[in-house]
Amino acid sequence: HKALEETPAEEVILLDVRNSYEYSIGHFQGAIDPEMRHTVQWQKYVREHAAVLGEKKVMMYCTGGIRCEKASAFVRHVVPGADVSQLQGGIHRYLEAFEDGGLFKGSNFVFDKRVATAPAETTVVGDCSECSRPWGQLDGGRVCVVCKALVNVCDSCDETSLGEYYCTSHQDFRGCYFHFLDRFEAPELQDQVSALKKVLGAAVGTGKKNRRNTIRKQIDVVERRLAALDEGAEVASPQRRCRVCGDSFEACPGRCWGFWRESARPARPSRCEAGG
């Protein structure tokens, strides 16, 4: 806290070492989001920004301090002599010391049924991914249709949705990548294939291998569904289902995984059973 207040902003790089969905609902003022969906992506971020990380004082934080231990060590490995410090005890201890939130704005995502903690008086820093209204509450039933990362979606949008959301990394999949395909007619599926091929064509470079594989797999899934329609498969009525287990949303509104789990997880259907 004191270091942030006393060090000129132009001399500091403040890094949030958490996943983007955690950053989306709460972070320190001026913090940079490395746009990670998985902690393993930290190494790529550091290598791509090694030059600037070696020029300024690097401050970092995470939920409880554990992720920062490995993150700071990797920065020192890639950038020898880097001036790196971390928030001891993470956001959790910081909010205990500064009950009004201090320099932290929004909510602190925690990995238990509380979902997030926040000061009594807090500022909503997140925006709904669908309507852009201020929103800062994550829910197990609101995940990216591509990678299942949590997506910040408001209650109003969710009430009228089939639950097909897209994280910041997969916004260009919007409108062409769907998990449950059995509600689409053949022309719609053909349009999806065409759109996916355009996204595939834009995914160039050595760092996009996994992305290309994801797109190719989805194209294959859609084409298999088209073949099933040719063989007489029926088109189903639109119905919202849990992205994780495939059950109806009424039966499982995202409560089958992680700390949201309320009972034994139901058997997960194959893509073919799910209409893929």
Side-chain angles (χ1 to χ4, degrees):
H1 183 91
K2 184 177 180 180
L4 276 178
E5 288 190 320
E6 295 181 349
T7 308
E10 62 273 13
E11 298 178 11
V12 176
I13 295 178
L14 178 60
L15 293 172
D16 190 314
V17 191
R18 303 173 300 158
N19 296 316
S20 282
Y21 64 81
E22 298 173 71
Y23 177 94
S24 73
I25 64 170
H27 49 263
F28 279 94
Q29 291 176 263
I32 295 173
D33 174 19
E35 298 183 355
M36 298 186 293
R37 289 180 290 113
H38 307 285
T39 304
V40 294
Q41 294 174 314
W42 173 248
Q43 296 184 8
K44 178 182 177 182
Y45 177 84
V46 172
R47 290 193 175 99
E48 291 179 348
H49 298 82
V52 68
L53 294 177
E55 296 173 351
K56 298 185 178 183
K57 180 176 180 61
V58 179
M59 298 183 184
M60 60 179 64
Y61 66 90
C62 59
T63 307
I66 297 175
R67 281 178 279 187
C68 281
E69 293 292 339
K70 292 184 177 180
S72 59
F74 189 75
V75 172
R76 294 188 181 96
H77 171 71
V78 175
V79 190
D83 184 358
V84 185
S85 59
Q86 64 195 66
L87 180 61
Q88 297 300 320
I91 302 168
H92 177 69
R93 295 300 182 194
Y94 182 87
L95 292 181
E96 287 183 344
F98 297 90
E99 296 183 357
D100 63 350
L103 300 177
F104 185 84
K105 305 302 177 184
S107 302
N108 178 34
F109 182 84
V110 293
F111 295 86
D112 59 39
K113 289 188 180 298
R114 294 175 297 169
V115 184
T117 60
E121 295 184 9
T122 187
T123 301
V124 176
V125 299
D127 296 320
C128 171
S129 69
E130 307 305 297
C131 69
S132 299
R133 64 170 287 198
W135 190 259
Q137 298 177 32
L138 297 173
D139 185 278
R142 305 171 194 179
V143 299
C144 178
V145 71
V146 182
C147 65
K148 293 188 290 187
L150 291 166
V151 180
N152 192 23
V153 180
C154 72
D155 288 345
S156 296
C157 288
D158 190 63
E159 288 174 359
T160 58
S161 167
L162 287 175
E164 288 156 340
Y165 305 123
Y166 301 84
C167 69
T168 54
S169 297
H170 293 120
Q171 284 298 310
D172 54 341
F173 286 60
R174 187 181 290 270
C176 66
Y177 189 113
F178 302 90
H179 185 70
F180 300 108
L181 301 176
D182 54 359
R183 77 175 194 269
F184 295 107
E185 301 280 355
E188 296 172 300
L189 294 171
Q190 291 164 352
D191 288 343
Q192 290 176 30
V193 171
S194 297
L196 285 166
K197 287 181 177 178
K198 289 182 180 179
V199 177
L200 178 61
V204 296
T206 56
K208 299 292 182 67
K209 180 180 179 180
N210 289 339
R211 191 178 188 82
R212 291 193 293 270
N213 288 338
T214 295
I215 299 168
R216 290 189 182 107
K217 288 178 181 178
Q218 182 66 8
I219 291 174
D220 180 64
V221 169
V222 178
E223 289 179 338
R224 284 192 282 118
R225 177 59 185 169
L226 278 166
L229 289 177
D230 287 341
E231 294 174 0
E234 296 183 357
V235 176
S237 299
Q239 177 192 19
R240 183 168 180 178
R241 281 169 278 184
C242 173
R243 169 65 178 84
V244 179
C245 70
D247 206 347
S248 69
F249 202 68
E250 290 75 14
C252 180
R255 300 295 183 265
C256 61
W257 68 284
F259 57 78
W260 277 286
R261 186 193 298 268
E262 295 177 345
S263 60
R265 179 174 174 174
R268 183 177 179 179
S270 67
R271 290 302 301 270
C272 292
E273 292 172 332

